[in-house]
């Protein structure tokens, strides 16, 4: 007996390690919008219906006319606006065309022919998605072995898999056969991967006259239709387009409006469901359209926490916020150690270039800028060394990746960043400074085009205070702003979002040096702490799949214990200082959680235990070379190793000792950073200006050298 109302079960599905558990009630979450009946001379028994990617064209086939008909839609995926386009594809032979599919670019049609033998015929189109240009491809049709009773089929998005519904092909039971293809949409040499017979090993027990087969755009949902009970069966797949992994039966939905249920299809975002009624009577034959309150929510909504790309996107934001503290504080702390290691040489200006090769997520900051200007215009040569600022910079180019996990997709990262700093040593030997960090991060998530584009700005104040001859306390405090543009692609759908955030962070480092002859041993204790707020945001672009994310707070607390060892060797041309660093640090940060929901119906989901604690070892080796003419070269290689991640970096730094007739200036204006160096030498005035625009699509670099006579 048929049920007399539409219903769905809202879902949050359990996926492996994900801790999310929710039980949701039955409810009415979709409604009939309207129907489109075929006119005289059109398809009388529509068993197949599909759309072009943008939903402006609809196509139908069946078992009577032996043709594929094309319709134009004034509103995408709205069948009530469909009009016959007077275009059709006449199929070759005496066909019973139950179902058909396009390839990815619309230049080919694959038609299921069940008249005599069970085959799939291929037709080429000279004009994409224009079926009036169809012609049978030589070598077609393609069969899949004897004994199959094919009723429907579907491809994966990339065309490397085909799924065939075989009615009573496996021990007189319905089954879905999954084949791998040697190349995209190439049916010449299929390989059977698995033969899925249902959650209870018998699809017949639910619907014994299957008619249609369809997947959600991301491949995590599968739907089967049957016309005996007019039932839609829904399944969840743990791996997209893979029936060999875990498949969960979600339940059934009985369509009460149709007489004989045929094909099922959806709009690209899953907000609309279209089914065909192939009863051979003029008053009912055609298609019905239903609006769904969540994407592909026929029985259960798609669980975003089961989508590895969605999980990876959430993780990358949290990982980036935590890594920001480390990547922002390290250049400043290294700067203070470097100055103390070269304490006999004050007022040094360095220009650093740093290359990193990462296997960890990098920090995410924002495009906010605070104009600030430092300058040294001191005419009094006697007090120049006591009043002058020392300026430094460090640029970072990073290429890295994070491998996929059971619940999260892989990530590829490209990062560029620069840190600009200025500091000054006072009469009390306390060194104080300020540093600005700008960064852009491009993160590619998974294989479907999901991505995060991040821009950043951070401001840090720091101080190094002596507590004896060789004992120092280094501390800093800073504020960062972040902005992320997020793109989530899921099959043929895409969503966009923009998220802002702020971060307050600090660091405290204690170090004491023990010396014997020229050998220095320096134990170090360091604590990093901070809090990050990521604001709420809402996705756009895919009505049925848009998600709304709540505010997220991410705590950070790490402690480390390490040591460094250095020695000094004097040569005629300068001083050579090799050193070695080793550090263990523990990430004891509390795990964070992200709550989000469907915009369409407010159904809540939660990702918990994001970024659990980790233990890392950092080792580095390098040297300083200080020449007699005031030039210092510093190099360092560092390995940051965790259980499943590593980070390799190589630093090259050049320092030049300022003279009494030298001055330096740094400015940040709009989106451009500028650094100037003025020097008087043998009656000539030398001016060197450089600039870098951080936030252009094509970064703008520039150097200007001027030499003039001062007399």
């Amino acid at each position: 007996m048929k049920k007399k109302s539409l219903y769905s079960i809202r879902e949050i599905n359990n996926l492996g390690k994900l801790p999310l558990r929710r039980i949701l009630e039955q409810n009415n979450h979709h409604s009939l919008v309207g129907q489109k009946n075929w006119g005289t001379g059109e398809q009388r028994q529509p068993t197949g219906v599909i759309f072009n990617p943008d939903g402006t064209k609809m196509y139908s086939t069946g078992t009577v006319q032996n043709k594929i008909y094309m319709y134009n839609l004034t509103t995408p995926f709205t069948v009530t606006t469909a009009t016959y386009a007077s275009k059709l594809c006449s199929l070759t032979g005496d066909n019973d065309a139950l179902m058909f599919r396009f390839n990815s670019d619309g230049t080919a049609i694959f038609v299921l022919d069940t008249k005599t033998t069970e085959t799939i015929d291929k037709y080429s189109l000279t004009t994409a998605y224009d079926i009036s240009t169809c012609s049978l491809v030589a070598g077609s049709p393609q069969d899949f072995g004897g004994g199959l009773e094919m009723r429907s089929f579907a491809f994966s998005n990339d065309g490397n898999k085909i799924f065939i519904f075989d009615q009573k092909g496996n021990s007189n039971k319905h089954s879905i056969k999954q084949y791998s293809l040697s190349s995209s949409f190439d049916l010449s040499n299929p390989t059977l991967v698995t033969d899925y017979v249902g959650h209870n090993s018998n699809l017949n027990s639910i619907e014994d006259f299957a008619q249609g087969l369809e997947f959600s755009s991301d491949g995590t949902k599968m739907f089967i239709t049957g016309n005996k009970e007019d039932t839609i069966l829904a399944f969840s797949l743990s791996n997209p387009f893979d029936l060999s992994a875990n498949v969960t039966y979600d339940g059934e939905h009985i369509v009460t409006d149709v007489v004989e249920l045929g094909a099922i299809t959806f709009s690209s975002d899953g907000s609309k469901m279209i089914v065909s009624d192939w009863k051979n009577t003029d008053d009912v034959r055609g298609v019905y359209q239903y609006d769904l309150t969540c994407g592909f929510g026929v029985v259960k909504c798609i669980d975003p926490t089961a989508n590895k790309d969605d999980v990876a996107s959430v993780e990358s934001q949290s990982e980036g916020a935590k890594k920001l503290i480390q990547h922002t504080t390290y250049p400043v702390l290294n700067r203070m150690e470097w100055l103390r290691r070269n304490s006999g040489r004050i007022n040094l200006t360095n220009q650093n270039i740093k290359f990193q090769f990462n296997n960890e997520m990098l920090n995410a900051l924002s495009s906010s800028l605070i104009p600030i200007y430092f300058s040294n215009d001191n005419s009094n040569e006697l007090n120049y060394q006591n009043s002058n600022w020392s300026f430094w910079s460090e640029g970072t180019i990073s290429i890295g990746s994070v491998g996929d996990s059971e619940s999260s997709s892989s990530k590829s990262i490209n990062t560029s960043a620069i840190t600009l700093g200025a500091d000054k040593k006072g009469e009390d030997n306390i060194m104080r400074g300020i540093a600005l960090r700008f960064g852009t991060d491009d993160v590619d998530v998974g294989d479907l085009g999901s991505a995060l584009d991040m821009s950043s700005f951070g401001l840090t104040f720091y101080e190094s205070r002596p507590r004896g001859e060789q004992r120092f306390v280094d501390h800093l405090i800073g504020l960062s702003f972040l902005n992320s543009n997020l793109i989530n692609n899921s099959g043929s759908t895409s969503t966009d979002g923009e998220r802002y955030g702020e971060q307050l962070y600090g660091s405290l480092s204690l170090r004491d040096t023990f010396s014997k002859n020229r050998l220095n041993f320096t134990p170090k204790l360091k604590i990093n702490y901070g809090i990050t707020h990521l604001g709420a945001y809402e996705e756009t672009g895919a009505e049925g799949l848009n998600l709304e994310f709540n505010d997220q707070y991410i705590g950070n607390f790490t402690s480390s214990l390490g040591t460094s060892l250095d020695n000094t060797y004097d040569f005629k041309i300068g001083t050579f200082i090799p050193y070695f660093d080793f550090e263990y640090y523990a990430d004891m940060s509390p795990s964070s959680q992200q709550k989000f929901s469907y915009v369409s119906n407010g159904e809540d989901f939660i990702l918990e235990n994001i970024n659990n604690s980790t233990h890392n070892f950092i080792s580095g080796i390098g040297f300083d070379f200080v020449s007699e003419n005031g030039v210092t070269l510093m190099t360092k290689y560092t390995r940051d190793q965790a259980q499943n991640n590593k980070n390799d970096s190589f630093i090259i730094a050049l320092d030049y000792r300022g003279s009494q007739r030298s001055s330096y200036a740094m400015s940040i204006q709009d989106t451009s950073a500028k650094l100037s160096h003025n020097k008087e030498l043998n009656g000539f005035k030398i001016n060197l200006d450089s600039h870098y625009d951080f936030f252009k699509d094509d970064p703008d670099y520039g150097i200007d050298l001027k030499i003039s006579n001062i007399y």
Side-chain angles (χ1 to χ4, degrees), residues 176-194:
I176 303 171
K177 290 179 167 59
Q178 175 182 326
Y179 297 86
S180 63
L181 306 179
S182 57
S183 61
S184 181
F185 298 98
D186 182 3
L187 304 183
S188 62
N189 189 28
T191 301
L192 181 64
V193 175
T194 189

Side-chain angles (χ1 to χ4, degrees), residues 11-15 18 20 22 24 218 220-221 236 294-295 300-314 407-409 488 490 539 544-549 594-599 601 603-607:
E11 170 202 26
I12 296 182
N13 190 36
N14 173 32
L15 179 67
L18 296 177
L20 192 59
R22 288 177 62 92
L24 300 170
D218 66 353
T220 61
K221 290 285 186 181
S236 291
C294 62
K300 295 181 179 181
C301 296
I302 289 180
D303 181 5
T305 65
N307 186 299
K308 298 178 69 174
D309 285 3
D310 286 340
V311 173
S313 179
V314 173
S407 61
S408 178
S409 299
N488 276 338
S490 179
E539 295 179 334
L545 298 175
N546 291 332
L547 296 173
E548 182 178 12
F549 290 77
Q594 176 66 73
K595 184 178 181 181
F596 49 99
S597 61
Y598 279 108
V599 175
N601 65 4
E603 182 178 340
D604 291 335
F605 303 86
I606 300 177
L607 269 178

